[in-house]
């Protein structure tokens, strides 16, 4: 698949089949992530591949985070909420938690390390699409919660930047339109001073 075609046709696919994804395809997605641009060649990404029962790590953590907002987690309503949280990682056969682990080099800027990992995630999404898979990058307050750092044994400066849910698409794949680049671009071709 041509890269421009992949960029134009890739979609966030939240509904996927529960069919297993071949390990070779998962490894190809991870490899694509490692080719993202990164300042000073720090390679600040870390991947956690959750499959099968391994997805329970994420489900349990989502429950613990949700409980913090509840006066009484034992009510039927709250038990329903907690059950939904626990099952979120099972919406796809593979969930890849992606974290940034910033370098200790003095000249490194943390925002640039995060940008590099975001670029890695985009590479991963494009690779999944090129391999015939559906994927979606999920984030939200729970991703940035300290309990999520604990779940993945991350350091103080490290941060989960999201979860890439991967599986075979459960059609139909949505058709989307984007605002033209022309409406979002300012050309500066002379000195404004």
């Amino acid at each position: 698949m041509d890269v421009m075609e992949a960029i134009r046709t890739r979609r966030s696919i939240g509904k996927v089949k529960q069919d297993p994804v071949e390990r070779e395809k998962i490894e190809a997605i991870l490899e694509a992530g490692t080719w993202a641009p990164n300042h000073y060649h720090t390679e600040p990404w870390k991947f956690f591949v959750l499959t099968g029962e391994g997805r329970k790590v994420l489900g349990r953590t989502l429950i613990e985070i949700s409980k913090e907002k509840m006066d009484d987690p034992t009510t039927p309503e709250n038990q329903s909420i907690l059950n939904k949280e626990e099952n979120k990682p099972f919406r796809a056969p593979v969930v890849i938690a992606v974290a940034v682990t910033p370098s200790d080099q003095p000249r490194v800027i943390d925002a640039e390390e995060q940008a590099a990992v975001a670029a890695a995630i985009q590479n991963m999404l494009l690779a999944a699409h090129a391999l015939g898979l559906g994927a979606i990058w999920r984030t939200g307050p729970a991703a940035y919660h300290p309990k999520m750092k604990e779940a993945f044994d991350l350091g103080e400066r490290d941060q989960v930047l999201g979860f890439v849910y991967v599986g075979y698409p459960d059609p139909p794949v949505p058709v989307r339109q984007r605002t033209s680049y022309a409406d979002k671009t300012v050309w500066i071709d002379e000195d404004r001073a």
Side-chain angles (χ1 to χ4, degrees):
M1 177 180 294
D2 169 84
V3 70
M4 294 305 286
E5 178 188 354
I7 290 169
R8 282 191 301 271
T9 60
R10 188 212 62 81
R11 299 288 177 270
S12 293
I13 308 295
K15 188 174 181 187
V16 294
K17 299 174 185 176
Q18 289 300 315
D19 300 349
V21 176
E22 298 85 348
R23 185 179 178 103
E24 303 80 44
K25 289 187 177 184
I26 298 168
E27 290 173 349
I29 292 167
L30 297 169
E31 174 77 12
T34 67
W35 286 99
N38 57 102
H39 288 84
Y40 309 115
H41 306 285
T42 59
E43 301 181 21
W45 35 75
K46 189 162 189 176
F47 310 113
F48 301 87
V49 180
L50 311 175
T51 61
E53 295 298 301
R55 295 172 289 176
K56 286 184 177 181
V57 170
L58 178 54
R60 284 192 300 265
T61 307
L62 292 171
I63 286 174
E64 291 305 313
I65 293 168
S66 292
K67 280 183 178 178
E68 290 182 353
K69 298 178 251 171
M70 298 176 175
D71 291 329
D72 181 4
T74 64
T75 67
E77 180 181 287
N78 284 339
Q79 284 294 302
S80 176
I81 291 168
L82 294 176
N83 188 50
K84 286 179 185 174
E85 291 296 311
E86 182 177 32
N87 287 312
K88 281 182 177 179
F90 292 87
R91 295 181 284 194
V94 179
V95 180
I96 305 171
V98 185
V100 59
T101 57
S103 169
D104 291 330
Q105 292 181 34
R107 60 186 178 171
V108 166
I109 299 169
D110 282 359
E112 291 176 350
E113 299 283 81
Q114 291 180 357
V117 175
I121 293 172
Q122 175 67 355
N123 279 6
M124 294 166 72
L125 295 170
L126 288 168
H129 176 55
L131 292 167
L133 297 164
I136 188 168
W137 176 8
R138 295 188 184 276
T139 59
Y144 313 118
H145 194 282
K147 285 190 184 299
M148 202 59 76
K149 280 186 179 189
E150 290 174 24
F152 294 103
D153 198 27
L154 295 173
E156 184 181 331
R157 289 178 57 223
D158 304 344
Q159 183 67 59
V160 172
L161 290 189
F163 306 95
V164 179
Y165 284 62
V166 181
Y168 284 96
D170 195 0
V173 174
V175 175
R176 300 268 193 267
Q177 296 296 319
R178 292 290 172 120
T179 302
S180 169
Y181 74 89
D183 295 334
K184 300 281 187 176
T185 305
V186 175
W187 294 82
I188 301 173
D189 56 6
E190 60 182 57
D191 186 6
R192 291 179 148 184

